[in-house]
Amino acid sequence: VYDGVFAAADLKPLDAGGNDGHRVCRRGDRAGTILEAALDSVLTELGDESPYIEYWARAEWMHLAAHSDVDEYLQKRSGELRHPNFGHVLAIDVGDEVRGPTCVFAGDQLISVPAVAGRVLRFEGDLAHAVPEPSDVWFRSFVSKQPHTPARRRSVVLFNTWDEPPLDVPLEPPFSIPFADAPVKAQRKNSWAPVLPLATAEVGDRVAGKLPRLGTPARRGGLPRFRNFEATAGLLDALRDDRNVWETRLREPS
């Protein structure tokens, strides 16, 4: 997790440029949209030489069930679960009321990463991840849908890196500029601020949660529709945190 990947003044053009739909960029062309050039610059700073970027944008805070990203069309055609090399979330504009972190699951660890403008989250491409809305949705039996307002805006760009592009995703950009001439590029990596996770305390009360998984049984790799778990009650505060990254251990229900 890194803060300050882009200068604050550069986030607005990326917000406007994030409406390119679900696309793939071929980095070897060294030309594409403003957003594609910006994403390429992030990966260049990270030393990621993957030749293809898959990307899409979301501008609202919405509940997203746990899932690992795959080549969706390949999975539907053959059942194969082919994962990207790495997944990323770039936060561009975040309303004051948003408490919807991206939660990444690594074994029995949950890493909750709040959306902070200019922050980039990077994780192994086969790891499951989710976004709760509201923050405590996994611990409720019922929630009512909230209206979308500027205070609840969560504008993010999600992008994956691939050695071979996912099937049937548009590859040619709607317009193209040389990457070298792009007006928005990531700042140099030595100016980024790494954000290390804090550990929730393993003391006190525990809470029981129910995590939904996305997709059909085949899309879930045969995993059950829900994962029941227990965790320290500090997880509730971690999920409500609007800046700090937290690591929480999940346990099997007792």
Side-chain angles (χ1 to χ4, degrees):
V1 181
Y2 298 97
D3 282 346
V5 175
F6 286 95
D10 286 336
L11 294 175
K12 187 173 182 179
L14 294 184
D15 199 8
N19 300 315
D20 296 336
H22 181 197
R23 308 191 64 84
V24 170
C25 165
R26 184 169 42 226
R27 297 177 69 194
D29 292 347
R30 308 309 302 157
T33 67
I34 293 173
L35 178 59
E36 290 172 350
L39 299 181
D40 173 78
S41 71
V42 172
L43 296 173
T44 297
E45 291 296 325
L46 288 168
D48 188 329
E49 298 181 353
S50 303
Y52 294 94
I53 310 171
E54 175 193 24
Y55 68 94
W56 62 102
R58 291 196 181 101
E60 59 188 57
W61 178 19
M62 56 186 290
H63 180 248
L64 185 64
H67 67 287
S68 299
D69 289 343
V70 299
D71 183 331
E72 297 288 352
Y73 294 97
L74 177 65
Q75 189 278 318
K76 291 175 182 176
R77 292 179 186 179
S78 69
E80 179 182 348
L81 297 175
R82 185 168 75 96
H83 300 285
N85 296 332
F86 287 93
H88 309 76
V89 181
L90 164 63
I92 295 176
D93 182 47
V94 184
D96 292 339
E97 295 180 7
V98 172
R99 298 294 184 272
T102 298
C103 296
V104 180
F105 301 88
D108 63 355
Q109 299 297 316
L110 184 163
I111 312 296
S112 55
V113 183
V116 174
R119 171 175 287 179
V120 169
L121 160 65
R122 176 176 165 94
F123 54 93
E124 295 284 346
D126 61 347
L127 292 181
H129 49 284
V131 177
E133 192 282 316
S135 63
D136 61 352
V137 65
W138 303 331
F139 309 93
R140 292 193 191 188
S141 58
F142 175 79
V143 296
S144 57
K145 187 169 180 61
Q146 299 296 311
H148 297 298
T149 65
R152 291 174 55 83
R153 189 170 194 261
R154 185 181 186 272
S155 177
V156 298
V157 175
L158 306 105
F159 60 107
N160 295 327
T161 56
W162 298 85
D163 292 328
E164 295 294 336
L167 300 179
D168 295 346
V169 180
L171 188 59
E172 299 304 322
F175 64 90
S176 183
I177 59 172
F179 283 175
D181 298 336
V184 177
K185 295 180 181 178
Q187 303 193 89
R188 299 303 300 267
K189 188 171 182 287
N190 59 13
S191 71
W192 301 359
V195 184
L196 299 178
L198 306 171
T200 54
E202 284 287 331
V203 295
D205 295 337
R206 307 194 71 77
V207 291
K210 188 175 183 179
L211 175 70
R213 291 187 173 105
L214 183 72
T216 64
R219 174 65 175 79
R220 301 194 302 268
L223 294 172
R225 176 71 177 87
F226 294 95
R227 176 183 179 180
N228 294 299
F229 66 90
E230 289 185 355
T232 173
L235 175 57
L236 293 170
D237 293 328
L239 295 173
R240 285 191 290 263
D241 197 319
D242 64 353
R243 176 161 292 274
N244 294 306
V245 176
W246 289 91
E247 182 174 13
T248 305
R249 183 179 178 186
L250 304 183
R251 300 176 184 270
E252 294 299 316
S254 56

